[in-house]
Amino acid sequence: MAIGRVNKSFRLEDQGISGLGAVHYNLIEPNLIEAALARGEGTLGQGGTFLVSTGKFTGRSPKDKHVVKTDSVADTIWWDNNAAMSPEGFDALYDDMIAHMQGKDYFVQDLVGGADPKHAINVRVVTELAWHGLFIRHMLRRPDREDLDDFTADFTVINCPSFQAQPDRHGCRSETVIAMNFDRKLILIGGTEYAGENKKSVFTLLNYLLPDAGVMPMHCSANHASNNPVDAAVFFGLSGTGKTTLSADPARTLIGDDEHGWSDTGTFNFEGGCYAKTINLSPEAEPEIYATTQKFATVIENMVFDPETKELDFEDDSLTANMRCAYPLHYISNASKTAVGGHPKNIIMLTCDAFGILPPIARLSPAQAMYHFLSGFTSKVAGTERGVTEPEPTFSTCFGAPFMARRPEVYGNLLRSKIAAHGATCWLVNTGWTGGAYGTGSRMPIKATRTLLTAALDGSLSDGVFRKDPNFGFEVPVHVEGVPNILLDPRRTWDDVEAYDRQAQKLVRMFSDNFEKYLPFIDDDVKAAAIG
């Protein structure tokens, strides 16, 4: 049984998947919500949102991600970061998953990854849960309805949360599995209801495929100047650094909040929606994102809500601190209709330095940019995890190690060559602490960060006077209108400058120790940039 628009010559049976119950093809939002409610998958919220709990897993399972080790990819996958699975283990996994799916209803969404048609891929997503179909319909890009008549997938994702993998039989780590087979053009997900695995599996796929076409895949947000797509900027950053908040500038046009490519013609979004954290979300600080939490078909994940009024509690993290909402990009009023922009004029690397050492902004040379890109530094703070009693460094290469299928220097060299070709200016922006480490100092004022970013993006910051940072060698402005001069020199913000110097030396060593693994693969100028 098939419901919805579909290429009649490209149904699951034509892909060798038969024996299922009802197969619902390309249902639109109202139908998906109706199906999800009828199946007891969640609750209807205010404004027609869909409220859901993802159960045991409220985040990704990076250690359960596997790539099938075939001859075609054996020499190009970053195996230190991607667990190998044998072709035989994958074949058994596929057969067992299809057997488990027999007689059950499934939901199919035929979608596109990438706003640039030249580099886009067609992705068929088969989900056991109706709300997963709604989620991925937001997150990937939707073909026009008439284009579905001729749609054929380049890759297929099958997500079956009720299926439990068998490590001994399938060659995986646990009952949860995310397995990518580039030869069979299949991704299998089992044992987790966390919807983010759907979108990140496609991101990992694009991270592997696009470098061969000279496209740099980026874990970043992006925007461009209002009415001037050529003036684009990208914002790299790990969770908690302000990637979504700082790119959502009402004076600029939002290209996207999480995944982009940089091709020979410019920047383009991989996705068609946003997946925003909602913890402590407020209408004052982020009015547009807040408004989506009461818009029709927005998926609200793992948020506590009043059972009678359905009012959301944005401060209650008892289910998880990783509470989120997923919504289409057009719910943001200043979002780009094309989701494309020019070559980035500015590249912003965001870090939350809980050690209180890094300045609020610094200009990077191309070699320094590659160094900090490969380092991917931010920090955990006391209280965020059990056993964390003082700031701990986190180095996630390329600002997204879990999604990097190739070795980091592949992406680093792409970044460097594109900076050289297009003349982008690179900045390191610290949204963390000043005047001391976490627990002693204070968080960098958001007003100052926005002022500095505005000056960087409009070009006025580059015209100022800079000093060389004694610890990392990058350039730091000495005066910016609207920002206290003392804030630009973090050493001056500490009461005990000797304590600052000790902490700075400690952080420099952490960077150096982390970077040793890249030394055999990089040029001498990047090695020199490693430490001022």
Side-chain angles (χ1 to χ4, degrees):
M1 176 181 173
I3 302 173
R5 197 153 189 172
V6 63
N7 179 353
K8 294 181 181 178
S9 64
F10 187 69
R11 295 188 176 179
L12 291 183
E13 291 85 353
D14 301 296
Q15 295 181 262
I17 303 172
S18 59
L20 307 185
V23 178
H24 305 280
Y25 290 92
N26 297 311
L27 297 186
I28 62 174
E29 292 82 351
N31 301 121
L32 287 166
I33 291 175
E34 286 177 345
L37 290 171
R39 292 157 57 92
E41 294 177 5
T43 303
L44 192 66
Q46 292 186 2
T49 58
F50 190 71
L51 312 177
V52 66
S53 167
T54 61
K56 176 182 176 181
F57 293 92
T58 59
R60 293 178 294 100
S61 301
K63 293 182 179 179
D64 292 310
K65 188 181 73 174
H66 299 262
V67 175
V68 179
K69 194 168 188 177
T70 59
D71 291 343
S72 65
V73 301
D75 296 331
T76 50
I77 294 291
W78 181 21
W79 294 113
D80 290 343
N81 191 56
N82 296 271
M85 177 180 283
S86 70
E88 296 76 18
F90 182 88
D91 291 346
L93 177 68
Y94 176 81
D95 291 343
D96 291 347
M97 184 175 285
I98 297 301
H100 174 84
M101 294 166 63
Q102 296 297 291
K104 299 183 177 69
D105 296 350
Y106 279 82
F107 299 83
V108 175
Q109 288 288 317
D110 292 328
L111 301 163
V112 176
D116 182 346
K118 182 179 178 182
H119 300 293
I121 62 169
N122 288 349
V123 182
R124 166 164 280 184
V125 185
V126 183
T127 62
E128 180 180 20
L129 298 172
W131 79 264
H132 274 196
L134 177 64
F135 172 90
I136 202 63
R137 184 172 168 80
H138 290 334
M139 297 315 303
L140 292 183
R141 303 188 63 80
R142 306 171 193 167
D144 292 335
R145 295 294 284 177
E146 57 270 21
D147 291 339
L148 293 172
D149 295 337
D150 300 313
F151 183 95
T152 301
D154 298 308
F155 279 79
T156 297
V157 179
I158 302 176
N159 190 329
C160 187
S162 66
F163 175 80
Q164 303 290 307
Q166 301 175 39
D168 291 342
R169 174 170 166 78
H170 302 134
C172 52
R173 190 184 70 93
S174 73
E175 294 178 343
T176 299
V177 65
I178 303 97
M180 308 183 68
N181 189 321
F182 287 95
D183 284 11
R184 294 188 60 176
K185 300 184 182 302
L186 274 172
I187 300 174
L188 305 180
I189 304 173
T192 172
E193 294 184 29
Y194 183 66
E197 298 289 9
N198 294 288
K199 92 182 200 92
K200 288 306 186 187
S201 67
V202 177
F203 184 42
T204 303
L205 175 63
L206 289 166
N207 269 302
Y208 181 77
L209 297 175
L210 291 180
D212 281 343
V215 177
M216 181 183 173
M218 303 178 291
H219 186 220
C220 70
S221 58
N223 64 26
H224 66 70
S226 181
N227 301 317
N228 185 13
V230 173
D231 184 4
V234 298
F235 300 76
F236 291 101
L238 298 166
S239 179
T241 59
K243 178 162 59 87
T244 298
T245 299
L246 294 172
S247 64
D249 184 341
R252 294 174 65 87
T253 298
L254 179 68
I255 301 174
D257 82 326
D258 195 42
E259 302 172 6
H260 295 81
W262 186 355
S263 71
D264 290 340
T265 56
T267 310
F268 64 98
N269 195 348
F270 290 166
E271 300 186 299
C274 300
Y275 192 32
K277 282 192 171 184
T278 56
I279 186 169
N280 299 322
L281 189 64
S282 74
E284 294 79 22
E286 296 176 276
E288 294 252 28
I289 299 175
Y290 185 88
T292 69
T293 63
Q294 293 190 16
K295 290 190 174 183
F296 180 73
T298 293
V299 176
I300 309 289
E301 276 187 355
N302 299 315
M303 287 193 69
V304 174
F305 59 89
D306 187 294
E308 294 183 5
T309 67
K310 307 301 185 291
E311 182 177 352
L312 301 171
D313 190 332
F314 292 89
E315 298 180 356
D316 189 338
D317 62 354
S318 57
L319 294 177
T320 178
N322 192 36
M323 57 180 80
R324 291 182 179 264
C325 63
Y327 51 88
L329 194 61
H330 67 258
Y331 277 5
I332 303 299
S333 62
N334 66 327
S336 168
K337 290 182 172 58
T338 63
V340 299
H343 297 290
K345 286 189 175 181
N346 289 278
I347 295 172
I348 314 297
M349 298 184 186
L350 300 168
T351 182
C352 177
D353 174 24
F355 296 86
I357 298 303
L358 297 177
I361 196 166
R363 185 168 60 188
L364 306 176
S365 69
Q368 289 169 339
M370 186 171 177
Y371 173 73
H372 284 277
F373 179 69
L374 290 175
S375 296
F377 167 72
T378 192
S379 47
K380 299 175 184 177
V381 297
T384 57
E385 293 183 9
R386 183 178 301 174
V388 177
T389 58
E390 61 180 32
E392 289 186 1
T394 298
F395 294 95
S396 184
T397 189
C398 308
F399 296 96
F403 324 119
M404 302 295 110
R406 297 177 183 264
R407 282 202 54 83
E409 55 270 17
V410 172
Y411 308 105
N413 287 327
L414 272 170
L415 177 66
R416 189 174 182 185
S417 65
K418 289 186 178 296
I419 290 172
H422 303 290
T425 303
C426 301
W427 307 91
L428 183 69
V429 172
N430 174 25
T431 61
W433 270 256
T434 186
Y438 174 84
T440 302
S442 57
R443 194 74 189 257
M444 197 71 68
I446 184 66
K447 182 179 179 181
T449 301
R450 290 191 183 278
T451 299
L452 292 167
L453 274 176
T454 297
L457 296 179
D458 68 19
S460 61
L461 186 56
S462 290
D463 295 332
V465 178
F466 289 77
R467 65 175 177 86
K468 183 177 179 179
D469 181 84
N471 299 305
F472 289 93
F474 42 51
E475 295 181 316
V476 182
V478 298
H479 174 76
V480 178
E481 191 67 31
V483 178
N485 287 345
I486 190 174
L487 198 65
L488 298 170
D489 186 352
R491 189 173 188 267
R492 291 174 57 198
T493 68
W494 282 53
D495 292 334
D496 185 344
V497 294
E498 292 182 356
Y500 171 89
D501 292 339
R502 290 192 298 271
Q503 186 84 314
Q505 292 170 9
K506 178 180 178 182
L507 184 60
V508 167
R509 286 195 300 271
M510 291 175 181
F511 266 86
S512 180
D513 292 345
N514 171 73
F515 205 75
E516 283 186 1
K517 56 182 172 288
Y518 302 122
L519 294 179
F521 307 102
I522 60 173
D523 296 337
D524 288 341
D525 58 343
V526 179
K527 293 178 183 178
I531 301 300

